[in-house]
Amino acid sequence: MASSEVDIKTRSRALELIRSHFKKLVEESEKGHKLQLVFPKRTLSNTIYDQKAKMLLLGPDVQYRSFTDINEAKKFMQTLLMASIIYNTLRNNEYPTIRDLFYRGKHSISYTSVDGKTISENSWDEQRESDSVIRDLEVLLNILREDLLILSKEKGKVVGNLVIRSGNDVIDLSKMGHGAYAIEPTPDLIEFIDVDAEYVLVVEKDAVFQQLHRYGFWRKNKVVLVTSAGQPDRATRRFVRRLSEEYKLPVYVLCDSDPYGFYIYSVFKVGSITLSYESERLSTPTAKFIGVTLTDIFGTEIFKDVLKKHGVKEALEEVTKGISKLGSKQPYLTPEERKNFVIKAKLRDVERAVELVGYRVAEACLESPEYKSKIKRKEGASGYPWFLTPEWVRELCIFFYTTSKLEIEAITGKGLKFLADEYIPRKIKSGDWIE
Amino acid sequence: MSTIGEKYTSISPAEFFYKYREVAGFANPVKAFYQTIKELIDNALDATDMHGVLPDVKISIERADEVQEFYKITVEDNGIGLPPDVVPYAFGRVLFSSKYSMKQSRGMYGLGVKMVVLYAQMTTGRPIEVTTSRENYRMIYYFKLRIDINKNEPVIIERGAWRKTRDWHGTIVSVTIEGDWNRAKQRILEYLHRTSIITPYANITLITPENEIVHYPRVTTVLPRPPRETKPHPHGIDLEMLKMLLNNNGDKTLEEILVSSFQSIGSSTAKVLLSTAGIDPSKKPRELAEEEIQKLFNTIKNYDKYRPPLSSALSPLGREVIEAGLKRIFEPEFLYAVSRSPRSYEGHPFIVEAALSYGGKTPMSPQDQPVVLRYANRVPLIYDESTDVITQVVKEDINWDHYMTSFPAQLAILVHICSTKIPFRGVGKESIADIPEIRREIRLAIMEAARELKHYLARKAREKEALRRVETIAKYIPEVARSLLIILEDESNEYAKKTLTHKLVTLVSKRSGVPVNVVDSIVKSVEIGA
């Protein structure tokens, strides 16, 4: 197989990066310095939300991984082993997945201990371990795995008025028939040739994406239509980010109306906690949550009722200022429709919501005594800073109060026409979104 | 009970022991066999190491009758030998002994070998044979004797003398007794084994009736310092001894008697003692009234300004001998011996020595205490272990946890007590009584050795821990080296591989303090699977 030019360039750049880094490591140790790797700490405590950049970033903490430290020796060995495997795959023009890398490096290491016993262990036992050192290498070398030609499963799809070059082929994404272009695991190797769109619409659900595609939604509205098919992978996020950054296209995200949907939106916008070191390249800070919101379902009157209850207003004001001064709006659903489409939130959903906005909001707004007692153990959870805005707190407050959620499919139950021709265009036109 | 007309007859000591032989350990054919061997070996060793001679002791036991369980026991030593005129009494009259003076020796009651003779007479009727010569003698003397039990007198059956054709000195004793060899064998071997532990300077050979040879070769020429004869310490005497002294020195003044009979009494101390007792120093013993003797005795006992008893009468084994002995038998990984300074109880000097042997071939201990090897005046104590003060100290006074030791362990503790008077419990002479001064010394000696053991174990644990730590790093050296060489595109260069591996080994060695060759051996043992 003939590799494309970008591919070859990427390989030689990665090889050079790895070689020079470890050459320096050996030279340093020859000068009498410790044989150690220094890289940003990838821990929750060193993950911070940058209010200004509006994204999750790695903090300033640095980790030292020294070979002569008995607690780090194995990790050190694993890191070098992984580096050597990746180095070999780059040299041999291979495209491994992280699972391939796990199997390639998994082997036994045995030795004879001082008391004469032969002890055997594996270089690593679980993929969790090898995945972890891949992430370590990404931050150590300051390079994304995609640029090391490590592939992952293609999950994201895209259609729209968009012409790209992938490898040596030019692809027109408006001519995909009923299918769609699967976003390649190395989106940085894609070249945008022509983009003719007003905005990007990211849909959480693959089924909704297909319906909108067949309905001709993107053609009619000049939209680049993307789906992440659930939790977004890195390639999808990077692809969306490039469209936002390089073509200044507004990005709207359409998810289920539940805490999981809200979180998927936030991954697009600010990044994820486990991959915070990549936020700068993967997140789209301007992304907007178009729906479905709880206020789309219930309107804002219901929230005013909650605020009237004893102590609620004060508690919420403490969490985020200005919550009582939010504007009002009418619901998109009639009471009858609401009754049919809404489903009851499970404890799991409530707990996830507590993680997003904190225990105080839940305590103030929850009506159900059963859930109230069960989330007691989450006391002290303070929520993610990027969710502690008046708009999001109002959403979650209604969620706690009604313990209701809604899947986007339910909206299509009101008619695909309603979703495509009314709901989405109206919301975008009126600026009815949350940031 | 009517006493009138009751007849009281005195019996000779020989007759007494003949009738009450179990007192001296000759109760049955098993005990008697053991006791006979023990008495003869003790005598052989006393004749050698107590006089600065490196012992060569040969014991042979042969079946002496095809039908009956008769055994001929012959013990030969290279000791100082006996003057021919002493031989009949040394072997043929109960209570005649050279061992009444104030100096340490293995036996004390003067009974041992005579009981052997009596027992032989009683069971097989065969006489004892003694061959002896001293260093400067030109002749070797031979006796065949028995004891006249009623008269407590030796009966010489045969005697002879030969010109020495080689430079030999020592004593050969042969007796034939009835015994139960099969059941006594283990005890006898145990006794020999225990004896050999503290006599590394001796060659000891035993030939059994089965013609098995048990041999303990000499491993050192260091001998313990021989004991010197001393006068008794005034605190160590009893009223009877004092009366005997007075009787035997009838024509001396009291002052002269005190000065010449005791250590630590000069003429000024003698005067102080006599004036305290209200007795004229120039008085002669026969002029003393009974109450005056009693008063003098009390004064001597209560006076507290004497120097402590002289320890020159004692012959401790010394650290070197104890360590050589334990090393010969147990080849331990840790060994430490303590020889305490002399102390005294009730006017008797004593020295406590202790040693710990750990690991190697040291036997495994029971569940609750170390193996205890007890010795009194160089005689192994094998029975009545639980009542012995040494065992009590080991079990009650020492907190072994404190010394990083838990049982069972390959740990043996040796305690040797030497004294001019060992305070045995009972006549079995197998167990030492609980005397506070002695108990304290035993405790201090064991604690000193145990502290050394603790240091050793702590160091060993540290070293092992350091090795464990270095192992967790060193085992990854080959993998790290291989990975680096792949990245440096040098993986097929054997020289580069060697150099880099050596660099990593040196680095790990330097960081951990574990020697390069140790790290290297771990690295060499590593195998990387496919």
Side-chain angles (χ1 to χ4, degrees), chain A residues 161-370:
Chain A
N161 287 326
L162 195 59
V163 181
I164 63 168
R165 191 196 313 277
S166 173
N168 293 328
D169 299 324
V170 174
I171 305 164
D172 186 342
L173 301 193
S174 65
K175 297 195 165 62
M176 306 303 290
H178 286 160
Y181 173 70
I183 299 167
E184 61 171 275
T186 51
D188 277 314
L189 305 189
I190 292 173
E191 186 191 336
F192 293 123
I193 295 172
D194 185 32
V195 180
D196 180 19
E198 295 289 327
Y199 60 88
V200 178
L201 180 69
V202 181
V203 184
E204 174 195 351
K205 291 274 177 72
D206 188 27
V208 178
F209 170 86
Q210 289 189 44
Q211 291 176 53
L212 289 173
H213 178 23
R214 285 175 190 245
Y215 189 77
F217 173 81
W218 58 269
R219 211 180 289 275
K220 190 172 172 190
N221 296 288
K222 277 192 158 185
V223 173
V224 176
L225 188 63
V226 176
T227 182
S228 61
Q231 278 287 350
D233 60 12
R234 299 151 57 104
T236 309
R237 288 163 59 195
R238 178 63 188 155
F239 187 84
V240 170
R241 160 66 178 267
R242 282 192 62 194
L243 286 173
S244 152
E245 191 172 52
E246 292 168 31
Y247 294 91
K248 307 288 175 229
L249 293 179
V251 173
Y252 302 104
V253 182
L254 181 65
C255 297
D256 284 344
S257 186
D258 65 23
Y260 286 89
F262 304 158
Y263 186 74
I264 285 173
Y265 155 72
S266 87
V267 170
F268 273 107
K269 185 180 169 73
V270 304
S272 76
I273 291 166
T274 46
L275 297 176
S276 61
Y277 58 96
E278 297 166 330
S279 299
E280 278 184 84
R281 300 178 49 115
L282 299 184
S283 70
T284 306
T286 57
K288 295 163 178 66
F289 184 75
I290 189 100
V292 178
T293 64
L294 270 299
T295 47
D296 289 344
I297 304 165
F298 292 98
T300 52
E301 285 307 307
I302 191 168
F303 180 65
K304 284 185 181 140
D305 294 343
V306 184
L307 278 187
K308 280 178 199 141
K309 295 175 72 166
H310 179 70
V312 172
K313 188 172 167 184
E314 290 73 15
L316 297 186
E317 277 292 340
E318 260 178 58
V319 173
T320 178
K321 278 213 166 5
I323 194 157
S324 45
K325 297 190 184 76
L326 285 171
S328 55
K329 76 174 204 190
Q330 294 301 313
Y332 285 80
L333 300 181
T334 64
E336 184 68 13
E337 288 164 345
R338 198 182 299 147
K339 221 178 97 192
N340 291 337
F341 300 160
V342 152
I343 49 180
K344 182 115 175 83
K346 299 212 168 62
L347 178 63
R348 209 159 43 90
D349 300 310
V350 177
E351 285 175 342
R352 191 82 178 106
V354 174
E355 279 169 35
L356 300 189
V357 290
Y359 178 75
R360 295 215 44 197
V361 178
E363 191 194 29
C365 306
L366 251 182
E367 286 283 280
S368 155
E370 186 203 336

Side-chain angles (χ1 to χ4, degrees), chain B residues 11-18 94-95 118 149 152:
Chain B
I11 61 169
S12 82
E15 202 178 347
F16 176 83
F17 283 111
Y18 181 77
V94 176
L95 296 181
L118 285 174
I149 293 168
N152 189 21

Side-chain angles (χ1 to χ4, degrees), chain A residues 53-224:
Chain A
K54 293 210 184 311
M55 58 177 77
L56 276 170
L57 297 174
L58 273 187
D61 292 355
V62 169
Q63 180 172 353
Y64 297 91
R65 179 169 295 165
S66 166
F67 181 48
T68 48
D69 175 345
I70 59 158
N71 298 320
E72 295 283 341
K74 182 160 195 178
K75 274 259 174 188
F76 184 96
M77 176 276 290
Q78 290 177 334
T79 313
L80 265 87
L81 173 60
M82 183 54 85
S84 75
I85 296 166
I86 293 173
Y87 194 85
N88 260 342
T89 61
L90 286 168
R91 262 205 296 188
N92 298 335
N93 290 324
E94 292 175 271
Y95 301 87
T97 63
I98 53 174
R99 187 128 190 97
D100 294 336
L101 295 173
F102 163 68
Y103 280 119
R104 281 209 203 186
K106 182 168 178 277
H107 54 239
S108 65
I109 296 173
S110 72
Y111 70 102
T112 310
S113 78
V114 271
D115 30 28
K117 278 185 238 152
T118 299
I119 298 174
S120 188
E121 63 180 60
N122 282 331
S123 49
W124 46 60
D125 290 298
E126 292 172 40
Q127 198 183 329
R128 192 169 42 80
E129 294 173 79
S130 62
D131 285 357
S132 166
V133 288
I134 292 171
R135 289 193 205 107
D136 290 339
L137 281 168
E138 289 183 271
V139 293
L140 176 73
L141 301 167
N142 193 22
I143 188 173
L144 293 185
R145 67 182 66 167
E146 289 76 16
D147 295 332
L148 295 170
L149 279 285
I150 297 168
L151 303 188
S152 43
K153 202 177 135 197
E154 291 169 344
K155 217 170 123 195
K157 293 192 290 190
V158 58
V159 283
N161 287 326
L162 195 59
V163 181
I164 63 168
R165 191 196 313 277
S166 173
N168 293 328
D169 299 324
V170 174
I171 305 164
D172 186 342
L173 301 193
S174 65
K175 297 195 165 62
M176 306 303 290
H178 286 160
Y181 173 70
I183 299 167
E184 61 171 275
T186 51
D188 277 314
L189 305 189
I190 292 173
E191 186 191 336
F192 293 123
I193 295 172
D194 185 32
V195 180
D196 180 19
E198 295 289 327
Y199 60 88
V200 178
L201 180 69
V202 181
V203 184
E204 174 195 351
K205 291 274 177 72
D206 188 27
V208 178
F209 170 86
Q210 289 189 44
Q211 291 176 53
L212 289 173
H213 178 23
R214 285 175 190 245
Y215 189 77
F217 173 81
W218 58 269
R219 211 180 289 275
K220 190 172 172 190
N221 296 288
K222 277 192 158 185
V223 173
V224 176

